[in-house]
């Protein structure tokens, strides 16, 4: 018998209704969530095989570029592990990322920022975590960008992550920020998370060990999915 | 010694450009992936009754969400989750139409599982949704509705928010309301 997933700690996640983030005002449920009875239905999911991936899927510098061309911007490795709450590796997780280009501009019909498109940058990448939970992307450092929230709102540089573990109930979309970015504390999307340690968990660290000399800086970012167990959920991670 | 317990990574909104990462071909970013994951749920050999499930997600002002991404997860026609035996993954992903907000899945009608009435599991993300929303869609003509363990937790009017409208015997409409009098029941799963 498989043990149930730990309940999601809603106090660790951002508030659904956070008026400083204007889009949440009319898009947040007002009634409490209903606790679903335990069932294997939500707690199961599709299997993603490595055969779905192309050789450049995790290389955003080259996967949209014309032959012989490269995306513009500071070259960067983003890597880490997908773990569960018991600190066990989660292999076979589908990780999909998207980001603005080095100037802070997305390749999207609804994007209106002045910064130029890079003809060699699409902005999407994907990977499946290895047996030890590790994943690795090559990309360029995304730029910060303005957005129509307040009169002068700027997003910190970030990469969006969609993560699909083994269970539909583990489904997660989040964003990765960069250590030392002063815009993190100013951003209402970030500040919808109340616990500074939770925000810290979304902040990638410069990782000189993993840097490719004369090639690319590296940032380390671990992703934690819900884990299984029968004991109550209380402890918090140590700061790092 | 107690095992070290980590915290789940906090969620953040999918934002308005979720399509770039999750459905790049839909977003016009061609040539990177062969196709968009979850775009096709059926194969030619799939067993079961083919149905279409369609709907729109509405905000608290009644406006359709034209930037949402919907994922579904369901049993096959025999009520089995996660089996590939019948040529059916059970998983679908569909972006809302960028002008109308409508989404649509061509799938098979799920069989009842061992623990309740047949249903389709939904997960909704979009700009302004800080934590992805789980809900379920049930079928209006299902005799097992009254004995379903989840539905029996929910009182009359709210229970109706989880039951699709039959447009035709093979087309079901499931509109999702994020707020207001008809706010859909969302689940902590
Ligand atoms: Fe963004």
């Amino acid at each position: 018998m498989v043990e149930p997933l730990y309940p999601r700690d809603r106090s660790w996640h951002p508030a659904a209704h956070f008026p400083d983030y204007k889009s949440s005002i009319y898009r947040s449920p007002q009634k409490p969530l209903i606790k679903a009875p335990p069932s294997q239905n939500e707690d199961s999911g599709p299997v993603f095989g490595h055969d779905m991936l192309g050789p450049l899927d995790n290389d955003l510098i080259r996967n949209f570029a014309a032959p012989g061309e490269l995306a513009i911007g500071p070259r960067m490795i983003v890597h880490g592990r997908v773990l569960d709450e018991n600190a066990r590796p989660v292999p076979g997780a589908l990780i999909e990322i998207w980001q603005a280009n080095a100037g802070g501009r997305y390749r999207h019909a609804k994007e209106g920022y002045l910064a130029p498109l890079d003809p060699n940058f699409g902005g999407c990448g994907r990977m499946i975590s290895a047996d030890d939970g590790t994943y690795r992307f090559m990309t360029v450092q995304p730029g910060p960008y303005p957005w129509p929230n307040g009169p002068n709102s700027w997003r910190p540089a970030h990469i969006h992550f969609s993560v699909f573990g083994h269970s539909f109930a583990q489904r997660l979309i989040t964003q990765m920020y960069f250590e030392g970015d002063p815009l993190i504390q100013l951003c209402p999307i970030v500040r919808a998370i109340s616990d500074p340690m939770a925000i810290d968990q979304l902040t990638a660290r410069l990782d000189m060990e993993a840097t490719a000399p004369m090639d690319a800086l590296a940032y380390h970012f671990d992703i934690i999915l819900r884990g299984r167990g029968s004991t109550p959920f209380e402890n918090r991670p140590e700061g790092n | 010694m107690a095992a070290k317990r980590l915290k789940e990574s906090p969620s953040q909104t999918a934002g308005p450009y979720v399509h770039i990462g999750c459905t790049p071909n839909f977003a016009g970013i061609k040539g990177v992936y062969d196709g968009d994951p979850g775009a096709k749920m059926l194969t030619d050999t799939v067993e079961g009754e083919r149905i279409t499930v369609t709907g729109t997600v509405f905000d608290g002002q009644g406006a359709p969400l034209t930037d949402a991404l919907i994922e579904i997860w369901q049993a096959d026609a025999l009520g089995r989750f996660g089996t590939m035996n019948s040529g059916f993954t059970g998983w679908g992903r569909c972006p809302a139409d960028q002008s109308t907000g409508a989404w649509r899945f061509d799938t098979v009608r799920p069989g009842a599982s061992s623990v309740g009435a047949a249903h389709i599991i939904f997960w909704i993300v979009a700009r302004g949704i800080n934590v992805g929303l789980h809900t379920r869609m049930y079928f209006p003509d299902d005799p097992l509705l009254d004995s379903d363990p989840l539905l029996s937790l929910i009182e009359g009017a709210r229970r109706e928010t989880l039951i699709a409208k039959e447009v035709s015997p093979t087309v079901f409409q499931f509109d999702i309301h994020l707020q207001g009098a008809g706010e859909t029941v969302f689940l902590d799963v």
Side-chain angles (χ1 to χ4, degrees), chain B residues 101-115:
Chain B
W103 46 263
R104 167 195 170 116
F105 294 96
D106 293 315
T107 183
V108 294
R109 182 161 175 151
S113 67
S114 55
V115 288

Side-chain angles (χ1 to χ4, degrees), chain B residues 16-174:
Chain B
Y17 305 132
V18 60
H19 317 103
I20 294 173
C22 293
T23 56
N25 290 282
F26 171 83
I29 298 171
K30 309 282 189 185
V32 183
Y33 308 156
D34 287 343
D36 291 335
K40 188 171 186 293
M41 298 180 71
L42 301 176
T43 63
D44 292 339
T45 60
V46 72
E47 299 162 15
E49 182 190 348
R50 295 184 180 223
I51 61 168
T52 295
V53 178
T54 183
T56 305
V57 184
F58 294 96
D59 72 11
Q61 295 182 304
L65 269 63
T66 56
D67 51 12
L69 184 79
I70 318 296
E71 290 187 6
I72 65 172
W73 172 238
Q74 65 166 90
D76 68 9
L78 298 177
R80 303 172 301 188
F81 278 88
T83 176
M84 290 289 290
N85 297 344
S86 52
F88 178 64
T89 68
W91 177 69
R93 172 186 281 171
C94 184
D97 183 275
Q98 291 184 86
S99 53
T100 68
W103 46 263
R104 167 195 170 116
F105 294 96
D106 293 315
T107 183
V108 294
R109 182 161 175 151
S113 67
S114 55
V115 288
H119 58 271
I120 297 179
I121 294 163
F122 276 72
W123 187 69
I124 302 117
V125 293
R127 169 177 64 87
I129 297 176
N130 285 332
V131 186
L133 297 168
H134 281 91
T135 188
R136 287 184 181 181
M137 183 202 104
Y138 289 86
F139 293 87
D141 56 353
D142 189 334
L144 295 176
L145 290 182
D146 287 339
S147 59
D148 184 80
L150 171 66
L151 289 180
S152 61
L153 295 176
I154 306 166
E155 87 286 7
R158 296 219 69 208
R159 181 180 180 275
E160 294 305 308
T161 69
L162 300 186
I163 299 173
K165 289 187 176 55
E166 185 177 311
V167 178
S168 81
T170 59
V171 179
F172 295 89
Q173 182 165 353
F174 183 57

